[in-house]
Amino acid sequence: MAVTLRSLCETASYLYGMRVIAGSGGMSNIVQWVHTVEDIEVSEFLHGGELIFTTGIANRNQDWLLPFVKNLIQKQVSGLVLNIGPYITGIPKEVIDYCNKLNFPLMDIPWKTRIVDISRDFCNRIILNEREEEDISQALRNIVFFPGDAEKYIPILECHNFDSDLNCCMVAVKAEMADGSPVSKAEDRIERLIHSYKKPWGGFKVDMINYYVLSGFNPEEIEHLVSDIQALQYNHLSIKQICISVGMTAGKLSELSKNYQITSRLFVVSQKKKISPSYYDKMGMKKILLAVDNIEVLKSFYAENLMKLKSYDNENGTDYMGFLRMYLEYDGSVQKVAEETFVHRNTINYQLAKVKKILGNDMKTLEDRLNLLLAFYIEMLI
């Protein structure tokens, strides 16, 4: 439930005389904190995500402003507020044009407005929002990991506009950065995208994977959001790769623990198969495996059907597992396997006979082949 510049500034016009001068397209920027910066050298200590106030007191002419703005944009701050008065008497057109071009929010306040008042107000609202985020995150965690106590925590979420009767979807996202940039920059962009839907949401992190819980999002909105998140890896050079899995889109808050199990298992499959995004609702019969509570049952089924062949490959340096997987995926067609591997049909039949002997399974029935195919699906989950 991130604080955006737009939400901070909703009442700032009549409380503090604030005006948006340029870069209105960036008002959805997330604000992490508020700082007053007068010297361009001080900007080296910024982390990104700050809203900057300045009076221009450290500068003697208007030529400083454009380099100052460029430096702040490079530091990925959320916006700049100019205190118009004796040190900043006007805003050069080139600065306004530059901010509009890059959608960098540029605002001003009159000299009579005390920066300490407006910054205190904004900081208090950021702190309050962080507390709300923590309450939501902790409630979601408790429902996921202590499902028997879900009834204790659902009311907390309802106090933050979650509706227990609406569909609740879980989305797992992990971003990998390319140039050593902090992953928080990618997470900020993701939160900004989610926030733009103006619907209740929250999240928590497990093993470097972010789990976002979306309340009241319809399937079309979820697909559009996921598509926009996935596109970040192509639109921003600092993001090397993003992996996404989407759990049940029609779950309820009371089913959040089950949804987490499904989403996290599906995420493992997404990483192994390098398929992103992946949707539980589109997994066909694999949905049954993802929803199995007892992972030991799946391990046992896998061992009964494929462990002999896997052990043989490990001991002899063969790849009959890969051969069998291809054979099953081509619906048991020797001809298709031969065409795909550029190997004669007789050789394929020989290999197939070898596999049948190792497994002790002649694969004559549909059930025989289905058991093996299910075992390969399980292999991705365990």
Side-chain angles (χ1 to χ4, degrees):
M1 308 295 287
V3 174
T4 64
L5 190 52
R6 179 176 289 105
S7 64
L8 279 180
C9 297
E10 283 177 348
T11 59
S13 60
Y14 64 84
L15 288 178
Y16 305 108
M18 178 181 285
R19 301 183 304 166
V20 178
I21 305 301
S24 59
M27 294 299 287
S28 62
N29 288 350
I30 293 173
V31 181
Q32 304 284 1
W33 199 241
V34 175
H35 282 300
T36 298
V37 175
E38 301 294 357
D39 190 335
I40 196 170
E41 299 297 331
V42 179
S43 67
E44 297 301 318
F45 297 94
L46 298 173
H47 296 289
E50 298 91 348
L51 175 61
I52 303 301
F53 286 82
T54 188
T55 66
I57 192 172
N59 300 279
R60 298 292 177 239
N61 57 64
Q62 298 297 325
D63 294 340
W64 68 277
L65 190 52
L66 184 58
F68 186 71
V69 167
K70 289 182 176 179
N71 188 274
L72 294 179
I73 292 175
Q74 184 179 7
K75 295 299 177 183
Q76 298 185 337
V77 304
S78 297
L80 172 64
V81 182
L82 304 177
N83 197 188
I84 303 298
Y87 308 108
I88 304 176
T89 57
I91 307 174
K93 183 177 183 300
E94 62 178 350
V95 174
I96 295 174
D97 290 343
Y98 187 78
C99 291
N100 279 327
K101 179 181 178 181
L102 297 184
N103 283 323
F104 178 70
L106 179 67
M107 294 146 286
D108 70 6
I109 53 175
W111 187 253
K112 66 179 181 180
T113 297
R114 299 174 62 183
I115 291 180
V116 65
D117 292 334
I118 188 172
S119 60
R120 183 192 294 120
D121 179 12
F122 284 5
C123 287
N124 285 339
R125 288 161 66 181
I126 291 171
I127 292 171
L128 178 61
N129 180 79
E130 288 178 347
R131 289 174 180 168
E132 291 176 351
E133 284 185 347
E134 183 57 34
D135 287 346
I136 292 172
S137 178
Q138 192 58 53
L140 292 173
R141 281 178 172 273
N142 287 336
I143 293 174
V144 165
F145 297 111
F146 306 100
D149 296 329
E151 291 184 359
K152 296 180 182 178
Y153 304 109
I154 289 178
I156 296 175
L157 295 175
E158 291 177 330
C159 288
H160 294 288
N161 299 318
F162 281 74
D163 188 334
S164 58
D165 293 326
L166 293 179
N167 289 335
C168 189
C169 178
M170 181 174 285
V171 180
V173 183
K174 184 176 182 180
E176 182 180 345
M177 309 306 285
D179 56 2
S181 299
V183 72
S184 60
K185 291 186 177 181
E187 293 169 348
D188 286 346
R189 294 183 182 276
I190 293 169
E191 290 185 12
R192 192 185 309 171
L193 288 171
I194 300 174
H195 188 81
S196 68
Y197 286 82
K198 301 186 183 306
K199 294 187 176 184
W201 65 277
F204 56 92
K205 183 178 287 189
V206 178
D207 296 331
M208 303 306 293
I209 303 169
N210 286 287
Y211 292 88
Y212 299 104
V213 179
L214 315 176
S215 177
F217 285 62
N218 62 49
E220 292 75 20
E221 289 174 327
I222 293 169
E223 289 210 27
H224 189 271
L225 171 62
V226 168
S227 177
D228 285 344
I229 295 174
Q230 191 72 61
L232 290 176
Q233 72 182 60
Y234 308 111
N235 299 333
H236 300 280
L237 296 179
S238 60
I239 301 176
K240 180 180 178 181
Q241 181 175 311
I242 294 179
C243 185
I244 306 172
S245 66
V246 182
M248 295 186 293
T249 59
K252 304 296 182 183
L253 277 176
S254 57
E255 302 171 309
L256 204 56
S257 182
K258 169 64 72 174
N259 210 346
Y260 170 76
Q261 171 190 301
I262 288 170
T263 309
S264 58
R265 286 184 181 176
L266 183 56
F267 188 86
V268 173
V269 176
S270 297
Q271 283 195 311
K272 284 185 177 181
K273 300 291 285 185
K274 300 187 184 303
I275 299 173
S276 179
S278 57
Y279 289 85
Y280 172 75
D281 291 346
K282 300 179 181 180
M283 292 296 288
M285 69 176 184
K286 299 173 190 175
K287 292 165 63 175
I288 300 172
L289 302 177
L290 290 167
V292 173
D293 288 324
N294 191 343
I295 194 71
E296 294 304 320
V297 172
L298 298 180
K299 290 180 178 179
S300 176
F301 186 89
Y302 173 79
E304 291 171 7
N305 287 277
L306 283 178
M307 189 55 72
K308 291 180 180 178
L309 190 61
K310 185 174 183 179
S311 298
Y312 185 93
D313 278 346
N314 291 338
E315 293 169 5
N316 297 276
T318 53
D319 187 25
Y320 284 126
M321 287 281 285
F323 167 79
L324 178 58
R325 183 186 292 109
M326 180 182 294
Y327 172 76
L328 294 172
E329 289 176 349
Y330 280 118
D331 297 322
S333 172
V334 172
Q335 181 62 37
K336 288 182 179 179
V337 175
E339 292 173 356
E340 178 68 23
T341 58
F342 303 102
V343 175
H344 195 276
R345 284 173 54 91
N346 291 344
T347 303
I348 300 300
N349 281 317
Y350 171 80
Q351 292 176 320
L352 185 58
K354 182 72 173 180
V355 168
K356 291 177 179 179
K357 182 178 180 180
I358 295 170
L359 289 175
N361 183 343
D362 58 19
M363 290 183 262
K364 287 184 177 179
T365 68
L366 176 61
E367 182 177 353
D368 290 337
R369 295 193 294 273
L370 180 59
N371 286 342
L372 292 171
L373 190 59
L374 286 174
F376 275 116
Y377 291 157
I378 290 171
E379 186 181 36
M380 295 185 292
L381 303 176
I382 61 177

